[in-house]
Each structure stands twice: as C-alpha cells, then as structure tokens.
Amino acid sequence: MDKLSAVLAGMPVLARTLLAFENSAVIDEIVLVTSAEHLQSYSKICVDYGISKCKKAVIGGDERMKSSLIGACETDSRAKIICIHDGARPLVTEDIISAAVNGAIRFTAAAPAVPVNDTIKRAEDKFVAETPDRSALFAVQTPQCFDADLIKAALTKAVSDGTPCTDDCSAAEAMGVRVRLTQGSRENIKLTTPLDFLTADAILKLREAKEI
C-alpha cells in the first residue's frame, strides 16, 4: 500500500493532510494532483472525509515540476496565491499554513523552514570537502506558497529548460526570486520511513493529550 493511503492514528495519511487545508481559514480551494493509479482511491478519500474544498483531482506528470505545473494551472483563474504541499506531510498546522500564505502575500514567495540542528558536511568522494556554517542552514518544508502568476511562469520555465529542481522554491529561485522563510515546525515531518510513522503517531497522541 502506498504511504498516502496508509492509516495513521485511524485515518489515511492523505485524509489528515487534506483536512488541515480544508479547515484552514486562508485556503479557498484544493487541487489534488496524483497518479492515474491512485486517482480513484484518493478521490474517494476526499468524499469519505468531506473535503469540500477539493474541486479537482488531476493526474500529474512524470516528475515533480510537471506535476506542480499541472496543479498550478488547474487552480481557479482568480487565485492570487498558490500553495504547493506534499501530501506526505499530514501534521502541518493552521499556523504554518497561514504564515507561509502571508509571507507569499508580502514577498511573492515563501516557505516554512526550521533551523538545521546537526552539523552538515559537504563531501567529495566520501571525504569532507566543507563544513558550512550551521547558523545559516535551514530545512525547508511545505506548503511552499507563491504569487500565482509567478509560480506558473517559474514552473513553466523550469519544465521547458529541464532545470533540476528539488522543490518548487528552486523554480522560483532560478528566476532570481528571493524566497522568504517563514516559521515551520519540527512536527511538520515528511512520512518516508516506518520510523517516521511511529514519530507521527507519537506527535498526534501528544496533541490529543494537550486538548484534553
């Protein structure tokens, strides 16, 4: 089973992710981008969990930038800000979403981030080549938010030029855009390994305990 359909604390991962945006006061519309293989099952999750803001579920491309571009172009033509989020980050909060959206409104491009805790080494042939200043390093998360026209243009250029981009901010950066870093959270983890699922489950239990 794919990780977005996997159950996390009694609910599919994707459902938790979508509900975070469904319940956000700064989000008007959700466009779900997925593969043809998962289109039907993911659409059913939207129905089962009442994701009313999900207006479209579309098939993405064969790489990240193409999928982002397809999703961006499927948003309402009146949209001023477009947020691109990784479905495997189900613990995103309203505060994180709002901060990134407001950052994009002020600076045209913004993304949540947290300072790097570990010392980072740049290696060449498995030998340390450089130790960057940790105080200037941040781990960038999602949602990454942008002026709508800007990100459509940036993604179009990145796809056309074959620019190697590890995230959507990279496409904007390639056009000379400065991306504002907003407040992220160490709880806003990306689910990749079994350990990540255990960590996410523990975070959810702590959140529930605080609500009691």
Side-chain angles (χ1 to χ4, degrees):
M1 180 182 292
D2 76 291
K3 62 185 177 182
L4 296 189
S5 297
V7 175
L8 174 63
M11 184 183 299
V13 168
L14 180 61
R16 288 192 176 277
T17 303
L18 292 172
L19 283 169
F21 288 85
E22 174 75 16
N23 296 326
S24 172
V26 298
I27 300 297
D28 297 319
E29 174 193 31
I30 298 171
V31 175
L32 178 60
V33 182
T34 183
S35 63
E37 177 187 2
H38 296 121
L39 183 63
Q40 185 174 353
S41 61
Y42 288 0
S43 296
K44 187 176 185 301
I45 287 176
C46 290
V47 173
D48 290 347
Y49 288 88
I51 312 299
S52 62
K53 289 182 182 178
C54 187
K55 307 302 183 184
K56 298 178 183 177
V58 298
I59 298 173
D62 56 2
E63 59 184 43
R64 181 191 178 95
M65 289 296 103
K66 291 181 182 178
S67 293
S68 293
L69 178 57
I70 289 169
C73 291
E74 288 292 338
T75 59
D76 191 298
S77 60
R78 296 167 295 180
K80 300 299 183 184
I81 300 294
I82 291 176
C83 303
I84 303 175
H85 186 67
D86 192 327
R89 290 186 187 269
L91 303 184
V92 66
T93 64
E94 170 69 2
D95 287 346
I96 294 171
I97 297 170
S98 295
V101 168
N102 289 328
I105 291 171
R106 291 186 62 194
F107 302 101
T108 73
V114 293
V116 170
N117 280 336
D118 299 326
T119 295
I120 304 297
K121 302 288 186 180
R122 186 178 66 81
E124 294 177 359
D125 297 324
K126 297 186 178 180
F127 286 92
V128 174
E130 180 186 7
T131 304
D133 178 8
R134 187 174 66 183
S135 67
L137 298 177
F138 290 80
V140 178
Q141 304 173 342
T142 65
Q144 298 182 358
C145 304
F146 310 89
D147 171 85
D149 291 336
L150 164 68
I151 194 57
K152 289 176 186 178
L155 291 170
T156 298
K157 182 171 174 53
V159 170
S160 176
D161 294 350
T163 304
C165 296
T166 56
D167 68 352
D168 301 292
C169 286
S170 300
E173 292 163 28
M175 291 183 64
V177 175
R178 298 181 69 197
V179 178
R180 176 75 168 188
L181 297 183
T182 57
Q183 185 62 52
S185 169
R186 300 198 187 279
E187 294 185 1
N188 186 25
I189 62 174
K190 182 176 179 179
L191 303 184
T192 304
T193 69
L195 179 59
D196 296 329
F197 277 82
L198 291 173
T199 301
D201 187 68
I203 291 170
L204 287 170
K205 287 179 179 176
L206 285 172
R207 287 183 181 179
E208 290 172 2
K210 290 179 181 178
E211 293 175 357
I212 297 175

